[in-house]
Structure formats: C-alpha cells, structure tokens
Amino acid sequence: MLQVVVPVFLVILVGYGFGRKHQFAAEAEKLINEYVLYIALPALLFLAVARANPADLAQWPFMAATLTGIAAAYLAGLFLARAKGVSAPQSSIVGMAACYGTTGYMGIPILIAAFGPKAAVPAAIATILHNIPAIMTVIITHDLTGQKQSSPLASAGRALATTLKNPLTMAVLAGAFFCLLRIPLPTILTSFAGFLAAAAGPTALFALGLGLARIPFSAARLSAMAGWITPVVLIKILIQPLVTLGMIALAFKADIDIWYATAVVMAAQPIGAGAYVFGKKYGYFSEETSLAIIVSLLMTVLTLTLVLQTFAASIPA
C-alpha cells in the first residue's frame, strides 16, 4: 500500500514546500482552501451520495462503530485534560484534538486511491459523522460552561446551525435528497459535478500542505509540549481506530467490506486542522494542536500504510 500512501503524502509535501518557499501565498492558500471546501469536495460528496443505493445510507453498524470510536477518543482527551488540571470548557478542545481527523482533505483521497470509486459513499458519510459530533460538542460545552452562558436549547440550536451550514454537510444532505427520493441526476449536472469532483483529491492534499507550512515547528517547542502532544496523538491514531475496529469486529461481527475498511481508515486519520481552528477561536490549546497535527501526520505515513495493507487483500480496488 506504499504506492497509495506515498503519492498522497508527496502531494502534501509539494504543498508544504510551495507554502514555505512562497511566503506571499497566504491569499492563494485561502483561495485554494475555499475552492476545496466550498466547491470541489462538496461536488464529490454530492455526486457520490446522489448516485448511491438508498440502502447504503442505512449502514447502522458502520455508523455506530464510527461514532463509538469518536466518543472513546473524545473522552480519552477529556480524561487527559482533567489529569492535567484542565476543566470545561477548555478540556473540550483537547477532546476535539484527540478525535477530529483530516477526513475530508486526506481521508477521502486516500480511500478512493486505495479502493476505487466504491469508497466514495462510505467516505462521504464518515466525513459527516466525524465532523458533526466534535464541532457540536465543543460549541455546546463553551456555551453552557463558558463566561457567556446560554440556555441548553439555544446552544444546541446554534451548534446545529453551524454544522448544517458546513458545505460538506450540505452536499451530503443534498445528495441524500436525490438518493432517497430516487430522483435521476440530469446528465449535465452529473458531468458538471464530475469535473469539479475530479480535482477534489489532489487539490485538498495540496491545500493541506500549504496550511502545514504556516505552522511554526521546532524541536524545542515539540520537546516543551511533548507531555500534551504525545498522548493526544496516540489517542487519535491508535486508540480511535482500535476502538472502531473492535466495535465492528466484536459487537457487530460484520464481514470485511468497504464500509468496515472505511470506518477504520477514517478513524486512523491524523489530527485535522479544524481542531486548531477551534483552539484559536476559543483561545486555548491551539499551539499544542498545531504541533500535534504535524506529528500525527508524520506518524500516519506508517500507521495508515499498515491499516490499508490489512484491508488490501480483502477489498481490492
């Protein structure tokens, strides 16, 4: 599976090198990220879900295993924070860093490269499952326990509105509308979305590299924060996929298929930039998260290769 993983990381490396060399490229980075987030990835997710079999949208063991892995990693992050004397709402950022992965920018391209187009629908659903719980939990926690407290109902409504406005969520919901109502896609719409979707994978990976180039990294900073970074990274890339794998294998006894593989591969993704964004927004744990993102990304060169290799024989591309 190195032939799948290495090209993916090479595209990220090209984006990183370009971002480091061209410091003037901040506006270009913003534009590329917005193209990926608002156009290319939504086109890919919409097309995948709209073309799906309606039965594919009711993969309950897959959803339960995915959410169990996310919950286990989040709770492990909270336990780590509490052990270090950090309470709510700040502890929710640590929890998010421990469970929130690069499912859209990296997970989708890796799954499609490894297993082909059949991975698109599971990847689309997994992306939403990995985004909504973490984002809503952080928002609600800060609303209920922060300085400006709001009612639980108002907090839940605000968190739901934020997640539903996410273009990836909107794309999956739009695709589900076409799928469940069995509305045939017009040829022009299919071709249009297909053109945009074709650029989603490489552009997302390049944009991820550009974003990493903005993160200051040094051995001294890494050493000073190792007490935070090491456990958070291990929770994200080891505990979360192991819990997800165990949930599917033991509780549901599911056959190894593309849904099984997608649940584990998505759980094994490195820490996503969204955790850094929320850390910056709420003024806590952003520096630690930025370093943890880089460390987890480097480690997943090995761990993701092993995970993909495990499923390669059972699920050929």
Side-chain angles (χ1 to χ4, degrees), residues 10-312:
L10 285 177
V11 176
I12 296 172
L13 184 60
V14 169
Y16 179 83
F18 185 85
R20 294 288 293 178
K21 182 178 180 180
H22 300 284
Q23 295 300 318
F24 60 86
E27 284 303 314
E29 177 195 344
K30 182 175 182 292
L31 181 61
I32 292 174
N33 268 291
E34 289 185 349
Y35 172 75
V36 171
L37 182 62
Y38 288 94
I39 298 177
L41 276 178
L44 188 155
L45 298 181
F46 167 76
L47 200 57
V49 176
R51 287 169 157 177
N53 186 320
D56 287 340
L57 304 186
Q59 294 284 339
W60 306 120
F62 163 80
M63 295 182 189
T66 296
L67 292 173
T68 300
I70 293 168
Y74 181 85
L75 291 174
L78 288 188
F79 180 80
L80 171 66
R82 291 294 296 174
K84 289 181 173 292
V86 178
S87 58
Q90 288 82 7
S91 58
S92 66
I93 302 297
V94 183
M96 184 179 188
C99 75
Y100 188 88
T102 56
T103 51
Y105 278 59
M106 186 171 157
I108 292 173
I110 280 184
L111 281 164
I112 293 177
F115 303 118
K118 62 177 173 289
V121 174
I125 296 173
T127 298
I128 301 308
L129 293 176
H130 278 266
N131 274 269
I132 291 178
I135 292 173
M136 289 190 66
T137 301
V138 170
I139 293 173
I140 291 172
T141 300
H142 276 80
D143 278 0
L144 296 181
T145 63
Q147 293 181 348
K148 297 180 180 179
Q149 297 183 7
S150 60
S151 70
L153 186 61
S155 176
R158 193 172 76 86
L160 182 61
T162 298
T163 54
L164 289 178
K165 289 178 182 177
N166 185 300
L168 303 185
T169 305
M170 293 173 67
V172 170
L173 292 177
F177 176 81
F178 276 81
C179 174
L180 294 174
L181 295 183
R182 300 180 185 274
I183 301 173
L185 290 175
T187 303
I188 292 177
L189 178 59
T190 302
S191 298
F192 171 67
F195 277 130
L196 295 173
T203 310
L205 294 169
F206 184 82
L208 178 58
L210 281 179
L212 293 174
R214 304 295 174 193
I215 298 175
F217 184 84
S218 70
R221 293 176 71 239
L222 183 61
S223 177
M225 300 178 185
W228 276 112
I229 294 169
T230 302
V232 167
V233 169
L234 291 178
I235 291 169
K236 180 66 196 74
I237 68 173
L238 291 181
I239 292 178
Q240 186 175 348
L242 286 174
V243 170
T244 304
L245 176 65
M247 186 70 174
I248 294 178
L250 298 178
F252 297 109
K253 297 181 174 61
D255 295 329
I256 296 178
D257 60 10
I258 189 60
W259 293 90
Y260 194 135
T262 297
V264 179
V265 171
M266 285 301 209
Q269 292 299 306
I271 298 169
Y276 171 75
V277 171
F278 273 83
K280 290 286 285 185
K281 177 180 179 180
Y282 291 112
Y284 181 73
F285 209 64
S286 59
E287 190 174 7
E288 293 87 346
T289 301
S290 66
L291 291 172
I293 288 170
I294 295 177
V295 172
S296 65
L297 183 67
L298 293 174
M299 291 183 67
T300 50
V301 176
L302 173 61
T303 57
L304 271 176
T305 300
L306 293 175
V307 170
L308 290 169
Q309 190 63 46
T310 300
F311 295 109

